[in-house]
Amino acid sequence: MAVSSSRPDAPVEPPGPGLSRTLSVWQAVGLSVALMAPSMAANINPQGTAGTVGRAVPLAFLLAAVGVLLVAYGFVRLCQYFQHAGSVYAFVGATLGARTGLVSGFALFGTYCFYGVVTSTAAGIFGTDFLAAIGVWPDPPTWAPFVLAAVALLGALALTVVPARRGTSVLLSVEGATVALILVISAIVLVRLLAGNAPGGQTFTLSVFTVAPGTDLSAVFLGVVFGFLSFAGFEAAATLGEEARHPRKDIPRAILGTAIFGGVYFVVVTAIEVMGFGADDAGVQNFINSGSLLGDLGRTYIAGWVGDLITIGAAISAFGCCLACMVGASRLAFAFARDMRRDDTAPTGLAGTTRAGTPGTAAVLVLGVMAVIMLILALAGDGVPFNVFLWSGTIGTLILLVAYVLTTIGAIKLVFVERRLPGVPMWQVVIPLLALVVLGYTLYRNVVPFPSPADGATFWNPIVAAAWLVVCVVAVLAAPAAARRAGAALTAAELGAREEVDAR
């Protein structure tokens, strides 16, 4: 880990060979936004929320945004103290111990790999639909999305091994363009609702922020759970702690800014989506049955070709998210290998970097892991791309929530127990404590009541997630020497961070 100047806004330079510090705050934002994939999420996630809360989808997303901000607090405080490519691995390792840090890091690595499968498959599904719609690939076979998914993975690998400045600029550009398109369509729908000339007689109404009569209030909290999952990946900028020019300032800003943007974006867009379909029972049912919310609204309120633009936009968003997953996972693998290697060995292999200062070998490893996961799930899902998309997303999210819990506990220990950031008021401990409540309830609602084997994937997904975590624990316990080396590296980094903070 690099130790920065005593000035928080001073550029940080690594003491030796490693990742290059070339990234601005906007490029860090690009990674977090791309991994959160707001344009893709706005098209396919709200339907699940509507199934439990009815018209109150934006209310559920508003409460979810509050929960995400609570979790983001811990990441912000940790990033103000540490700068490390290992993100959760470094945060937890330096606060709760090397072995716990390695487990959490391997967990996050698994999440990024599963999410890489989610997003590359989504890019394949949307891409195939677009090519079929414009007549380039009429009547594509069922395996067609996997071909485009493979192309997406290879493209993500290519952009990962070039200097990250270019890769993250691409992430921000493609996601920004798609989000802009969604906002334009949302604005047009909103204007027609306010003008009273919606195609189906829909009207502007704030009832979407209230629970419909007959709906149990507790259902809102089920919707909050699903909304919380839509924000997964907001913390991805933390993996760029060794590549940002001003990490103590830029990385926290990127994480918090992404969480705030996501909250405003999801609440506004989902409110317009629900009103656009109609807040009555029939409208909510059409909302739930929609395969692409903004695509359907574009066709209904504007023109048919707008639906095609949304489809290709969703494909681009999915590819950008896939790239973010590979960038994050490769930096984690690099950090593991660097910290666990022997002191008398050169930083080669996974611990090495390309001439451009990026972890090229680690990126190739990530590509291989993603390909294996996709192959296994495709075989288990009878070759249906949507099964691969759904299952890998569920597994990755369950693993991620465990990593969030460990990170939040580490933040509490660092800031409020050990008082390593003495300028933080003690009353703020309530923020991470509330975050633990949100995370704990999210995990609880995903596994209780536990499904039966007859439910198929619903039964197996939490088991696979738990198995990944068990393998992480066993692997760390089976390699005590490597864990000790990682602990020494994290301790040295933590001491450097402590000296830098004390010097302020």
Side-chain angles (χ1 to χ4, degrees):
M1 172 195 269
V3 179
S4 68
S5 164
S6 60
R7 291 188 297 112
D9 60 341
V12 182
E13 295 297 335
L19 301 174
S20 300
R21 287 197 177 277
T22 59
L23 304 184
S24 68
V25 62
W26 290 109
Q27 290 161 335
V29 168
L31 182 64
S32 284
V33 171
L35 188 52
M36 192 170 66
S39 52
M40 182 178 68
N43 270 295
I44 61 177
N45 284 357
Q47 294 93 318
T49 306
T52 58
V53 304
R55 71 187 184 192
V57 172
L59 173 62
F61 271 84
L62 175 61
L63 295 176
V66 173
V68 168
L69 287 173
L70 294 174
V71 176
Y73 175 89
F75 278 94
V76 167
R77 290 305 186 192
L78 288 167
C79 288
Q80 289 174 337
Y81 193 82
F82 298 112
Q83 303 94 51
H84 196 285
S87 180
V88 167
Y89 150 62
F91 299 157
V92 177
T95 55
L96 302 182
R99 289 184 175 179
T100 308
L102 285 171
V103 170
S104 65
F106 288 146
L108 188 62
F109 176 82
T111 290
Y112 284 160
C113 289
F114 277 103
Y115 278 6
V117 175
V118 172
T119 52
S120 60
T121 304
I125 292 172
F126 287 130
T128 301
D129 289 345
F130 175 76
L131 294 178
I134 64 176
V136 173
W137 198 352
D139 300 321
T142 55
W143 47 261
F146 290 117
V147 174
L148 296 184
V151 173
L153 286 175
L154 292 174
L157 174 65
L159 289 176
T160 298
V161 298
V162 301
R165 178 172 55 186
R166 302 175 194 171
T168 51
S169 295
V170 171
L171 297 181
L172 192 57
S173 298
V174 297
E175 188 64 28
T178 310
V179 169
L181 178 61
I182 287 176
L183 293 177
V184 168
I185 294 173
S186 299
I188 294 173
V189 173
L190 180 59
V191 168
R192 294 196 62 180
L193 289 168
L194 291 171
N197 63 352
Q202 299 90 339
T203 59
F204 179 87
T205 173
L206 294 179
S207 66
V208 298
F209 288 96
T210 62
V211 178
T215 301
D216 189 356
L217 184 60
S218 65
V220 176
F221 293 95
L222 293 176
V224 168
V225 171
F226 197 90
F228 180 81
L229 302 184
S230 300
F231 288 83
F234 74 92
E235 83 299 334
T239 63
L240 300 178
E242 295 181 39
E243 296 171 84
R245 288 193 293 266
H246 308 285
R248 295 191 190 278
K249 178 178 66 175
D250 290 350
I251 299 301
R253 286 180 176 179
I255 293 174
L256 185 59
T258 300
I260 294 173
F261 160 76
V264 175
Y265 169 85
F266 281 125
V267 171
V268 172
V269 171
T270 55
I272 295 174
E273 287 174 335
V274 175
M275 288 186 283
F277 277 87
D280 58 3
D281 291 341
V284 171
Q285 191 58 50
N286 291 333
F287 183 98
I288 294 173
N289 294 333
S290 174
S292 175
L293 293 173
L294 274 304
D296 288 344
L297 288 177
R299 294 185 186 95
T300 304
Y301 281 76
I302 307 175
W305 57 267
V306 175
D308 293 337
L309 286 181
I310 288 294
T311 300
I312 188 61
I316 294 172
S317 172
F319 171 73
C321 187
C322 179
L323 175 53
C325 292
M326 190 166 292
V327 168
S330 62
R331 272 116 183 109
L332 281 170
F334 164 82
F336 298 153
R338 180 193 60 190
D339 291 351
M340 291 190 294
R341 68 182 176 87
R342 298 181 184 276
D343 293 335
D344 57 351
T345 59
T348 59
L350 295 178
T353 58
T354 65
R355 292 181 179 178
T358 57
T361 304
V364 173
L365 170 68
V366 172
L367 174 67
V369 174
M370 291 180 179
V372 170
I373 292 174
M374 182 178 293
L375 177 61
I376 293 174
L377 293 181
L379 293 175
D382 297 324
V384 178
F386 187 75
N387 286 342
V388 176
F389 168 84
L390 182 63
W391 299 349
S392 53
T394 302
I395 296 168
T397 298
L398 292 175
I399 297 172
L400 178 65
L401 294 179
V402 175
Y404 281 175
V405 167
L406 294 174
T407 302
T408 303
I409 294 173
I412 292 174
K413 181 174 183 287
L414 178 85
V415 180
F416 301 104
V417 176
E418 299 177 350
R419 300 296 292 166
R420 299 293 173 79
L421 293 174
V424 179
M426 277 298 298
W427 67 264
Q428 291 186 8
V429 70
V430 69
I431 301 176
L433 288 176
L434 288 174
L436 288 178
V437 173
V438 173
L439 292 168
Y441 182 71
T442 303
L443 284 167
Y444 173 81
R445 293 304 300 164
N446 274 273
V447 298
V448 177
F450 200 83
S452 68
D455 294 323
T458 306
F459 171 79
W460 287 106
N461 286 338
I463 292 178
V464 173
W468 182 281
L469 293 171
V470 170
V471 169
C472 293
V473 172
V474 171
V476 170
L477 294 178
R484 283 195 297 271
R485 288 193 293 270
L490 290 172
T491 299
E494 196 274 339
L495 289 173
R498 188 187 309 179
E499 292 170 358
E500 192 273 329
V501 170
D502 290 343
R504 293 184 186 178

